[in-house]
Amino acid sequence: MGNSPDDRHTIQALVAEVEQLKKLINNNRAQSDSQHDNCRQHRMESSPQTEHMLRYSKRQNLVVFGVAESSACTTPEALAAHLHSLLFGDVPSSAAPLVSCAYRLGKWKAAQKKPRAVLVELTTVSAKHRAFKASSRLRASHIRLDEDLTPQQMQQRKGLSSDFLGLKVRGFKPFFRGTTLKYRDGGVVRQCAKGGANKIRAPAPTVPGPRPAHRPEHTNVAMDPAEVLRQAGVSVSKEFDLGPALPFTMGTAGSDSEFHDCASPTASASRLMGTFSG
């Protein structure tokens, strides 16, 4: 007994509806699995033990910004050698290795203007601290160093972004150490708490003080030899001519003058008496 055209049409409609229901169920199942995975990952990241382990695994890493994309550094080995020369230029690569590996973060896009950041894994924590000492030198080439942060640390920094901008507006140079916001106040490094930038006063402008007046190294004074001898208690006859007044250098130790130690008339008279007695 054959099926009528109406029955065949009804069967086809039912089959199509079943296929549609299958696709809807599969999509709902995929969304449910994705949400479940996201919740599990969030729960793991928010766990103190997991966060501690994640930070410990990143303790020797650095993220370098501003390293130009180059065809000569396409392999991880070549990129690691290039980063070694940038961070530790005074250390030969043949010595104990300081850079374990290096690779770019993200995929290169044709419309991308800035170079991708480079994640650098160092061999020791001391090598990381040593690399940070090159920050001022690399900043002149528009290369910036930062720590490899966990998602939780990045959120903590993001919460301090308004304070970071507030410090810059007030004339300070803020910077991060981990998740702590710091700034230089003159020669002192201070810490800024969340929401505390508005309470910090701008640094006072430095005004150069007046320059001290020039003080001469020595002073030449003309003295009458006869008056010098009288002050020293020596009687001088009027017929005895001692000649014109002599210049003496007063109170300058270490000068090149012959009489640099004659700081008083008495001392001058003593020197003259020795001259006359000779």
Side-chain angles (χ1 to χ4, degrees):
M1 181 177 179
N3 294 330
S4 65
D6 293 338
D7 293 338
R8 288 197 298 269
H9 180 74
T10 304
I11 293 173
Q12 291 176 354
L14 291 174
V15 170
E17 187 175 355
V18 169
E19 293 296 330
Q20 231 174 9
L21 290 174
K22 284 182 179 180
K23 290 181 180 179
L24 183 62
I25 292 172
N26 290 334
N27 290 337
N28 291 338
R29 182 179 298 171
Q31 291 180 0
S32 177
D33 293 341
S34 177
Q35 292 176 358
H36 176 71
D37 293 339
N38 291 336
C39 291
R40 183 175 59 182
Q41 184 178 0
H42 178 72
R43 186 169 59 252
M44 290 178 62
E45 290 177 353
S46 61
S47 171
Q49 293 83 2
T50 306
E51 177 66 20
H52 177 74
M53 292 175 60
L54 192 57
R55 293 187 185 187
Y56 185 81
S57 65
K58 294 173 175 284
R59 71 192 186 283
Q60 298 173 185
N61 298 353
L62 277 180
V63 181
V64 186
F65 299 90
V67 179
E69 304 271 352
S70 173
S71 58
C73 299
T74 54
T75 63
E77 294 78 11
L79 186 59
H82 180 58
L83 265 296
H84 185 279
S85 63
L86 283 177
L87 301 175
F88 314 102
D90 56 338
V91 179
S93 57
S94 59
L98 298 176
V99 177
S100 177
C101 64
Y103 51 90
R104 297 277 182 180
L105 297 177
K107 293 183 178 181
W108 175 255
K109 298 178 182 179
Q112 189 170 339
K113 296 181 179 180
K114 293 184 179 180
R116 293 171 293 171
V118 181
L119 178 62
V120 183
E121 295 183 5
L122 304 173
T123 54
T124 60
V125 178
S126 60
K128 173 184 173 181
H129 297 324
R130 186 173 180 176
F132 267 120
K133 294 181 180 179
S135 295
S136 57
R137 173 175 57 84
L138 296 174
R139 202 176 295 121
S141 302
H142 305 286
I143 296 176
R144 184 171 58 89
L145 306 182
D146 200 358
E147 299 176 83
D148 186 16
L149 303 177
T150 65
Q152 186 180 101
Q153 289 176 309
M154 287 189 284
Q155 286 295 327
Q156 291 174 356
R157 275 196 184 184
K158 188 176 180 180
L160 294 169
S161 58
S162 59
D163 295 284
F164 186 93
L165 295 176
L167 290 173
K168 290 192 70 174
V169 169
R170 284 166 174 77
F172 294 102
K173 292 184 178 180
F175 59 95
F176 280 102
R177 283 292 176 265
T179 57
T180 304
L181 178 59
K182 297 187 177 184
Y183 64 96
R184 295 187 183 277
D185 187 3
V188 182
V189 177
R190 303 185 186 278
Q191 180 175 335
C192 178
K194 186 175 182 179
N198 296 328
K199 303 176 184 178
I200 299 173
R201 295 183 179 179
T206 57
V207 180
R211 297 182 61 183
H214 177 68
R215 304 177 69 179
E217 296 183 0
H218 61 272
T219 305
N220 292 332
V221 180
M223 291 188 176
D224 185 1
E227 182 63 26
V228 172
L229 293 176
R230 290 192 195 94
Q231 293 183 15
V234 179
S235 61
V236 181
S237 63
K238 295 181 179 179
E239 293 80 7
F240 188 74
D241 185 11
L242 294 177
L246 300 176
F248 295 92
T249 301
M250 301 295 291
T252 305
S255 66
D256 295 333
S257 174
E258 181 182 356
F259 301 103
H260 66 272
D261 56 346
C262 297
S264 66
T266 306
S268 302
S270 301
R271 176 63 63 88
L272 287 173
M273 290 299 295
T275 304
F276 293 142
S277 63

